Amino acid sequence: METDDTGRKMEDELGGNKRLSETPPDDDCCPICFGPFTVPCRSNCGHWYCGSCILQFWNYSSASKPCGCPMCTCMIVNLMPEASLEQQPQNQEVAEVLKSVRRYNLLFLGGARGFIQKVRELPFFVKRIFQGLMDPDTNDTYIAEIRLFAMLLSIIYRATPLDFIPTGGIGIGRVFDCSAIILILILRLVGIYRRRRLMQRVRRLAAMELLQE
């Protein structure tokens, strides 16, 4: 009997019967904000985060892809809120975070239901991409996504009997791609302009505070 128990314990330590915890560790903190967990959510890879922290982290990543786990880089396709959150009264802030978590899970559910949810959330994805393109510090992921979207539009255009866009002999695919690049440049310039205006406003406020002192 003792041998069986020892073997079972070793198997657990090796991960054979390892179960994901239903609650975050008491002596741990959110690895994003380094504070105590608020609306704790467990990723499918077993790491715990504040619900709002991991969703905000995802906001700075690719709009059309699941969030990469900051701890192990695994793709997070499911966030599981702590079970006790569903059983206790919720304030408005907690309810909003839980709603956003459910929305995220539906986006990356997979299958027909996940595809339908992505179609329903298309305005959200487009808005995310445009916001990313206006951020001067963003990576090239959004640029690739909008060029891919332009390519899909060109394929749809070819498949229809419509023929109202002048191509000038360069082909409709190149027209859509060039239009996407021009749009990217315009949005990036708008983002740089907004950043400069914001910095000027911050400097003015700082100068006013110094004068008041």
Side-chain angles (χ1 to χ4, degrees):
M1 182 71 69
E2 185 176 350
T3 305
D4 293 342
D5 292 341
T6 305
R8 197 174 292 115
K9 184 183 292 185
M10 290 178 63
E11 196 173 323
D12 288 342
E13 291 175 354
L14 291 172
N17 292 331
K18 185 179 179 181
R19 294 183 179 179
L20 296 177
S21 173
E22 296 296 331
T23 56
D26 295 331
D27 57 347
D28 203 356
C29 64
C30 173
I32 296 178
C33 68
F34 299 106
F37 291 102
T38 56
V39 194
C41 292
R42 188 193 68 212
S43 64
N44 48 277
C45 53
H47 295 110
W48 286 90
Y49 302 96
C50 300
S52 56
C53 287
I54 192 62
L55 290 175
Q56 188 173 3
F57 183 82
W58 175 60
N59 282 334
Y60 288 96
S61 61
S62 174
S64 59
K65 298 178 182 177
C67 177
C69 177
M71 299 294 290
C72 67
T73 70
C74 175
M75 289 292 102
I76 299 176
V77 294
N78 181 267
L79 288 170
M80 180 66 68
E82 186 180 6
S84 61
L85 292 172
E86 303 288 351
Q87 302 168 359
Q88 61 188 16
Q90 302 168 0
N91 58 38
Q92 185 176 359
E93 184 178 354
V94 173
E96 285 296 323
V97 173
L98 291 176
K99 182 180 177 181
S100 297
V101 167
R102 296 189 196 100
R103 183 184 184 186
Y104 176 90
N105 290 337
L106 285 174
L107 284 174
F108 305 110
L109 182 65
R113 188 179 179 188
F115 177 76
I116 292 172
Q117 185 67 19
K118 283 186 175 68
V119 173
R120 290 177 59 186
E121 297 288 349
L122 190 59
F124 165 74
F125 284 128
V126 173
K127 180 181 177 182
R128 280 278 309 275
I129 291 173
F130 274 54
Q131 288 175 341
L133 289 171
M134 285 193 290
D135 184 359
D137 298 326
T138 191
N139 53 34
D140 295 336
T141 305
Y142 291 110
I143 298 175
E145 288 180 349
I146 199 166
R147 292 187 70 182
L148 179 62
F149 183 66
M151 184 181 71
L152 292 174
L153 287 178
S154 68
I155 294 172
I156 294 172
Y157 181 83
R158 287 195 192 100
T160 63
L162 300 176
D163 187 20
F164 60 90
I165 299 178
T167 60
I170 64 174
I172 192 65
R174 183 64 63 85
V175 169
F176 274 94
D177 189 50
C178 291
S179 300
I181 293 173
I182 292 171
L183 177 62
I184 291 167
L185 290 174
I186 292 173
L187 291 174
R188 188 56 57 89
L189 290 173
V190 170
I192 293 171
Y193 173 75
R194 290 176 61 185
R195 173 72 62 84
R196 291 191 61 183
R197 289 292 302 272
L198 180 62
M199 292 299 297
Q200 290 173 356
R201 183 180 179 186
V202 169
R203 291 193 189 100
R204 283 199 300 268
L205 290 174
M208 289 175 62
E209 289 181 0
L210 288 174
L211 290 173
Q212 290 175 357
E213 292 177 357

